[in-house]
Amino acid sequence: MLTIDKYLRPSTLEEAYEAAQKKNSVVLGGMLWLRLANKRVSTAIDLSALGLEYVTEDEDFWHIGAYTTLRTLETHEALNNMTGNLFRDALKAIVGVQFRNLATAGGSVFGRFGFSDVVTALLALDASVVLYKTGALSLEDFCRMGKVNDILTEIRIPKTPVHTAYFAQRNTATDFPVLNVCAAEKKETITIVVGARPLGGTVYRFSAAETAENMAERIAGDAVFTGNTRASAEYRRHLCRVLVKRAVDEIMAEREGI
Ligand SMILES: Cc1cc2nc3c(=O)[nH]c(=O)nc-3n(C[C@H](O)[C@H](O)[C@H](O)COP(=O)(O)OP(=O)(O)OC[C@H]3O[C@@H](n4cnc5c(N)ncnc54)[C@H](O)[C@@H]3O)c2cc1C
């Protein structure tokens, strides 16, 4: 059970950041992951009064506020139009609609969960994150960082149309994925992210001139897979080969208008 001594709903990011520096404090997203923890926290920091629930665009980027729900992204028409329905496809199997109406983009990214469909999809889009004190950095770099004591305020996605394909293998519907693969093609480069190995997403980039078989072989040969209660390392490697090829074939077909 999560036991909270003090609840704080700051009205400025500075106040939230200051509170987050205190020992045993915790920043709240939708609290869906956090609530599973068995610990006592001194201060729980609720970000709901900070105006971080938005999806906006300018000339170069989509800006997604940290408090935006996964359901908003999944059903966002313009964002899906630009990304080949990536948000719809990647998020639809995460537990259920009520759950996705509560889970936040910020909590999903900040957690950097190895199984994350959200992070795998965003990595393939070359997304970056904005942390209140640290500033902006690529999601790829953020995923490589250790523990960070900051507030994630925003996720940015370059506003370049992409062809995408997303596949996640689950043992049963709505379970955590055994493997997830996202391929995105932008300006003759194909970015492929393989996550839930069960380690977090690794990013590979290829020229669009390479064959799907080559990409699949190279990633399956290079990526580190491990086993857990859901699947063995060997099964994950096999899935990787199949799903990468399938994803690249799909974006190639989309590009050719087949
Ligand atoms: C049963 C279950 C099944 C799930 N299945 C999947 C799945 O199949 N695929 C998938 O991709 N995801 C899955 N998830 C993860 C889920 O989608 C969310 O990513 C997760 O619940 C975190 O989102 P949240 O908003 O609830 O964050 P919280 O649980 O509130 O927070 C998560 C972490 O992020 C920190 N945090 C939150 N917001 C911020 C912020 N703005 N700045 C700094 N730190 C912050 C918190 O302190 C905490 O450490 C699952 C989660 C659960 C509980």
Side-chain angles (χ1 to χ4, degrees):
M1 188 173 69
L2 183 70
T3 308
I4 297 170
D5 288 335
K6 187 181 159 203
Y7 165 81
L8 182 72
R9 190 167 180 254
S11 49
T12 65
L13 272 166
E14 184 61 30
E15 194 189 340
Y17 178 81
E18 287 300 323
Q21 303 315 299
K22 297 202 177 108
K23 205 171 167 224
N24 285 336
S25 61
V26 71
V27 176
L28 307 180
M31 254 192 100
L32 294 158
W33 188 260
L34 273 174
R35 82 191 154 83
L36 303 178
N38 192 10
K39 64 177 179 184
R40 185 174 202 108
V41 299
S42 56
T43 308
I45 307 157
D46 178 348
L47 305 181
S48 63
L50 297 176
L52 295 177
E53 194 171 353
Y54 57 84
V55 180
T56 58
E57 58 182 306
D58 60 23
E59 218 168 283
D60 301 317
F61 293 100
W62 284 98
H63 301 262
I64 298 166
Y67 217 66
T68 306
T69 69
L70 297 186
R71 181 70 176 162
T72 298
L73 300 183
E74 179 191 352
T75 56
H76 197 286
E77 206 178 323
L79 203 50
N80 275 303
N81 281 344
M82 193 202 69
T83 58
N85 288 320
L86 180 56
F87 290 95
R88 182 198 67 189
D89 295 345
L91 307 186
K92 67 183 179 198
I94 301 177
V95 188
V97 170
Q98 292 95 329
F99 183 98
R100 300 195 295 279
N101 267 327
L102 292 172
T104 63
S108 303
V109 170
F110 198 87
R112 290 166 287 176
F113 308 111
F115 55 77
S116 181
D117 295 294
V118 185
V119 173
T120 292
L122 287 170
L123 280 171
L125 295 177
D126 296 327
S128 50
V129 296
V130 182
L131 301 173
Y132 175 61
K133 283 286 169 185
T134 313
L137 70 160
S138 72
L139 176 57
E140 227 178 313
D141 286 344
F142 181 54
C143 287
R144 280 193 282 260
M145 283 166 77
K147 192 175 178 320
V148 189
N149 202 2
D150 206 336
I151 311 265
L152 194 154
T153 59
E154 184 173 288
I155 297 155
R156 288 184 186 159
I157 299 171
K159 238 178 125 189
T160 320
V162 278
H163 296 295
T164 61
Y166 190 89
F167 292 104
Q169 177 75 17
R170 287 173 157 81
N171 290 336
T172 55
T174 78
D175 191 10
F176 293 101
V178 162
L179 195 87
N180 53 39
V181 170
C182 185
E185 190 209 5
K186 190 162 44 173
K187 297 180 186 155
E188 299 299 310
T189 298
I190 295 189
T191 303
I192 299 172
V193 184
V194 182
R197 299 169 291 125
L199 308 161
T202 300
V203 181
Y204 294 87
R205 291 190 177 83
F206 296 92
S207 149
E210 276 213 46
T211 65
E213 285 83 359
N214 266 352
M215 296 183 209
E217 278 309 319
R218 280 174 51 188
I219 296 175
D222 176 80
V224 176
F225 300 91
T226 59
N228 63 2
T229 49
R230 286 189 170 73
S232 66
E234 292 70 33
Y235 178 56
R236 286 192 161 96
R237 193 179 300 280
H238 173 74
L239 277 178
C240 171
R241 206 172 271 122
V242 174
L243 296 185
V244 168
K245 178 171 180 316
R246 204 175 283 174
V248 176
D249 282 345
E250 189 173 305
I251 52 177
M252 294 296 191
E254 203 183 305
R255 189 166 54 136
E256 315 284 309
I258 298 168

